[in-house]
Each structure stands twice: as structure tokens, then as C-alpha cells.
């Protein structure tokens, strides 16, 4: 590794141009100064050609440097490599020359020709080295920028989470008050109200219930990252069995059929995975249309991950709406058609993101939906599930 630092940063290119000029002049001088050896015109022209070629390469190379991707900070390094080339060649030739029984027959010609070539070789090596350094510098700059952006994003995410948490947490108390007083009015004065009054009170109670569900959903949403448990191997078939137990009432009421075989083990937070599949299966039941819901859950290995899919044969989703449904409070149906707070899929997306995966839906209106998530496989390789 070269450690010379005596070429100023701006002087590297000038030095390369000067070397080019030097070899051109040397070519002219070698051609016009007579020597004691073969002075044929062909010999003179050959020597002139060799030396001047090195000069031209250095001149053109030095001139074109600003048009290359090499950063000017590394021009001095290229110049150092040129000088190293010359130095190494001079050392070799000197060693060769001082050996007994050998020696250069025409040092005044071989020295400029060979040092010219080695200087050009040094230029080539220098360009390669400078390009690599420029690339490294560029990558380091981009990395720093990315790190800064990532830190800013994390900070702003954290602030948003804190805001959502504080807002939803603090809203719960006044809302609880509104709900309890509405219930009190209903209990105490319900009989005195006329038909309109009862209807208005029902709307108010329904509104406050809905707001409570939304706030609870927002609280869950804002806690996914901060209040999650550390990851551990989780058996998905056990998770799905629990989900079916939790949804037993809906399953029985709708006569839903849910099929899943030996599902794999994934690395994750068991409670959050239960929440994820509970939302997906509950939606598959809710949006199954008039027929009893038929739901299949299966898994397919994809590199380090498992793709787990929940498939229903329900009402389906228009492709144009498929992005929107993962946003907070976005719903495609009125509450009179299907109840819901519109936060289930947003919560699913956030849980899957915490597990480093993705969630997506494949669907057409009227022909069912398949929601798929990628989750990291647990260390040991589980059996592949087939349906
Ligand atoms: P909600 O709690 O209101 O169901 P979600 O976030 O879970 O909210 O779902 C958002 C919207 O996505 C729903 O209003 C519904 O229109 C649509 N959706 C979700 N799952 C399905 C499904 N399996 N089939 C058809 N539409 C669905």
C-alpha cells in the first residue's frame, strides 16, 4: 500500500500530464540525438513510436480524467502509481545492468521505452484502484444517507406511535363516561322517551360503542411494535386451533367449514400471530356471502419463509380496492351490511411487518379471496402442508 502524501490533491492530474509531455519530448530527443548504434530510419522511428506512445497515452488519459467516474480526490493516487511504475522499472533495469556478464546494450533507448511502458501500466493500475476507491466512497456516502433516513423514519414512527397510543388511551376515559351516562339515561328515563327519543338514544349508544371499538383497535395498532413479546418458535396449527375456539360462536352460527392440515412452525410472537389469523379467519367468515363459509388454510415454503394463505369462497374484492383495505379505518361496506371497525387488516399488516414479512390479497369480485402472509420459518424444518 502506498503511503506517499507529497503529491497535493489537485496536483495529481498535472503530474500525469507532465509525465505524458516528458515522454513525448523524450521521444523527440531520442530521435534527433545521434547514437553510436543502429541509426537506420526504421530503428529511429520504432524507438520514437514506442516512447511517444507512452507519452500520448498518459496525456490523453490525464486529459480525460475529469470525464471519468474517478473522484478528483484520487488523481494523486493515480500519479503515485505512475511514478511507482517508473521507479520499479528503473530498479529492475539497474539490477540487471550491474550484473556481471549482462548489462543493457542501449540504455539510452531501453530506459525511456521500458519506463514509459511501466508508467502506462502504473496509470492503468492507478485508474483501477481510484475507480474502486471512488465506488467505495460513493457506497459509504449512500450508506450514511440511508442510515440517517432510517433513523429519521424510526424516530418519526416512534413519535406517531406515542401519539396514537396517548390519544387513544386518553380518549377512553371520556368515552367511558359518555357511554355510562347514555346507559343511565336509557335505564332511568327510557320509559319517558317517545319513539324519536328512543331512536336518538340508540344511535348515540351505537356511536359510542363504535368509537370504543375503533379506539381499542387504534390502541392495539399502536402497541404492535412497542408491546410485542420476543419471538420464539410458534406452531401455527396450535394457533389456528385456538382461533377456531375463539370464533366458535360465529363458526357454529354460519355453519362454517375451516380446513387446515399440519401447518409449519414459524418464528414469531404467539399472541400477535393469533390476532393476525383471528382477523383473517373472522373476515373470511364475515365476507363469505349467503352460503356457509368454506375456508382453507395452507402453507408453502419459500426460502427462509413460509407463505401462509387463508382462502375463502366469499364475495371477493375488486382489484382496484385491494390496496385500500389495508389502511386504517378503510372499509368497503356499510355497517348495516357488515359490522366492523375497519382496522383488522391494518393491524394484520403491522403484525406481519413486525415479523419482517408481507401481506397481500388475491381476489376478484364474486370469486373468493386469498389473503397470504410471509412469516419467518422456525429453525427446524417442519413438514410441508398439502391440501
Ligand atoms: P373490518 O373490521 O371492517 O372488517 P378490516 O380491516 O378487517 O375491517 O377489512 C377492511 C375491509 O376489507 C372490509 O370492510 C371488507 O370490505 C374487506 N375485506 C376484508 N376481508 C375480506 C374478505 N375475506 N373478503 C372480502 N372482503 C374483505
Amino acid at each position: 500500500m502506498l503511503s506517499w502524501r507529497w503529491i497535493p490533491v489537485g496536483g495529481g492530474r498535472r503530474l500525469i500530464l507532465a509525465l505524458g509531455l516528458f515522454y513525448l519530448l523524450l521521444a523527440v530527443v531520442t530521435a534527433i540525438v545521434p547514437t553510436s548504434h543502429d541509426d537506420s530510419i526504421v530503428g529511429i522511428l520504432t524507438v520514437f513510436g514506442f516512447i511517444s506512445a507512452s507519452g500520448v497515452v498518459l496525456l490523453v488519459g490525464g486529459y480525460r480524467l475529469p470525464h471519468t467516474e474517478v473522484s478528483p480526490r484520487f488523481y494523486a493516487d493515480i500519479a503515485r502509481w505512475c511514478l511507482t511504475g517508473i521507479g520499479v522499472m528503473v530498479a529492475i533495469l539497474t539490477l540487471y545492468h550491474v550484473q556481471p556478464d549482462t548489462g543493457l546494450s542501449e540504455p539510452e533507448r531501453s530506459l525511456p521505452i521500458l519506463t514509459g511502458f511501466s508508467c502506462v501500466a502504473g496509470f492503468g493500475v492507478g485508474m483501477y484502484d481510484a475507480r474502486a476507491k471512488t465506488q467505495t466512497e460513493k457506497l459509504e456516502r449512500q450508506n450514511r444517507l440511508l442510515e440517517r433516513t432510517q433513523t429519521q423514519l424510526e424516530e418519526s414512527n416512534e413519535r406517531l406511535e406515542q401519539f396514537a397510543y396517548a390519544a387513544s388511551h386518553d380518549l377512553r376515559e371520556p368515552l367511558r363516561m359518555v357511554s355510562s351516562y347514555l346507559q343511565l339515561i336509557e335505564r332511568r328515563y327510557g320509559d319517558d322517551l317517545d319513539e324519536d327519543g328512543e331512536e336518538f338514544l340508540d344511535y348515540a349508544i351505537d356511536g359510542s360503542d363504535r368509537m370504543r371499538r375503533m379506539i381499542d383497535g387504534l390502541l392495539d395498532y399502536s402497541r404492535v411494535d412497542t408491546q410485542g413479546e420476543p419471538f420464539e418458535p410458534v406452531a401455527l396449527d396450535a394457533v389456528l386451533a385456538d382461533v377456531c375456539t375463539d370464533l366458535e360462536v360465529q363458526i357454529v352460527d354460519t355453519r362454517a367449514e375451516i380446513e387446515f392440515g399440519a401447518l409449519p412452525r414459524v418464528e414469531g410472537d404467539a399472541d400477535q400471530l393469533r390476532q393476525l389469523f383471528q382477523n383473517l379467519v373472522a373476515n373470511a367468515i364475515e365476507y363469505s356471502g349467503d352460503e356457509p363459509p368454506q375456508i382453507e388454510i395452507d402453507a408453502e415454503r419459500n426460502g427462509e419463509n413460509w407463505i401462509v394463505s387463508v382462502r375463502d369462497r366469499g364475495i371477493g374484492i375488486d382489484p382496484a380496492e385491494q390496496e385500500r383495505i389495508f389502511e386504517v379505518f378503510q372499509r368497503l361496506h356499510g355497517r348495516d351490511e357488515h359490522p366492523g371497525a375497519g382496522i383488522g387488516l391494518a393491524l394484520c399488516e403491522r403484525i406481519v411487518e413486525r415479523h419482517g414479512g408481507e401481506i397481500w390479497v388475491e381476489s376478484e369480485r364474486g370469486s373468493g379471496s386469498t389473503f397470504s402472509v410471509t412469516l419467518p420459518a422456525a429453525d427446524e424444518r417442519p413438514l410441508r402442508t398439502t391440501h
Side-chain angles (χ1 to χ4, degrees), residues 113-282:
I113 293 175
L114 293 175
T115 56
F117 286 169
S118 61
C119 184
V120 169
F123 180 77
V125 175
M127 281 298 285
Y128 183 81
D129 179 47
R131 255 197 203 112
K133 282 178 177 160
T134 308
Q135 287 291 347
T136 311
E137 202 183 54
K138 211 190 267 173
L139 277 178
E140 278 170 3
R141 224 177 12 248
Q142 281 169 350
N143 258 353
R144 276 198 299 277
L145 200 72
L146 268 179
E147 270 168 23
R148 222 176 21 245
T149 317
Q150 193 183 345
T151 316
Q152 282 168 352
L153 264 178
E154 276 168 8
E155 280 169 8
S156 104
N157 234 359
E158 215 167 283
R159 274 199 300 274
L160 268 177
E161 263 168 32
Q162 276 165 6
F163 171 76
Y165 177 76
S168 38
H169 189 263
D170 294 354
L171 281 174
R172 273 177 141 187
E173 192 43 48
L175 185 64
R176 197 172 298 136
M177 211 170 192
V178 172
S179 298
S180 10
Y181 278 100
L182 284 173
Q183 280 160 11
L184 196 66
I185 293 174
E186 192 183 33
R187 270 205 309 277
R188 197 173 289 181
Y189 307 107
D191 295 341
D192 303 336
L193 293 173
D194 62 7
E195 211 173 296
D196 278 355
E198 271 176 26
E199 195 183 346
F200 297 159
L201 192 61
D202 282 347
Y203 282 143
I205 291 173
D206 180 51
S208 69
D209 278 351
R210 219 164 355 108
M211 197 185 255
R212 186 181 40 75
R213 279 200 299 274
M214 287 167 96
I215 286 174
D216 287 348
L218 257 188
L219 254 183
D220 287 344
Y221 184 81
S222 67
R223 282 170 173 168
V224 168
D225 279 335
T226 48
Q227 315 245 318
E229 294 295 325
F231 288 180
E232 54 181 4
V234 178
L236 283 186
D237 34 18
V239 170
L240 261 301
D242 288 347
V243 167
C244 290
T245 310
D246 291 345
L247 296 175
E248 200 173 340
V249 177
Q250 289 97 307
I251 294 174
V252 172
D253 282 356
T254 56
R255 288 180 289 128
E257 277 176 30
I258 303 181
E259 270 180 44
F260 59 93
L263 291 172
R265 284 153 65 87
V266 297
E267 200 63 33
D269 175 332
D271 281 344
Q272 291 188 347
L273 292 175
R274 181 167 165 165
Q275 225 171 355
L276 165 72
F277 286 105
Q278 183 148 333
N279 285 341
L280 293 180
V281 175

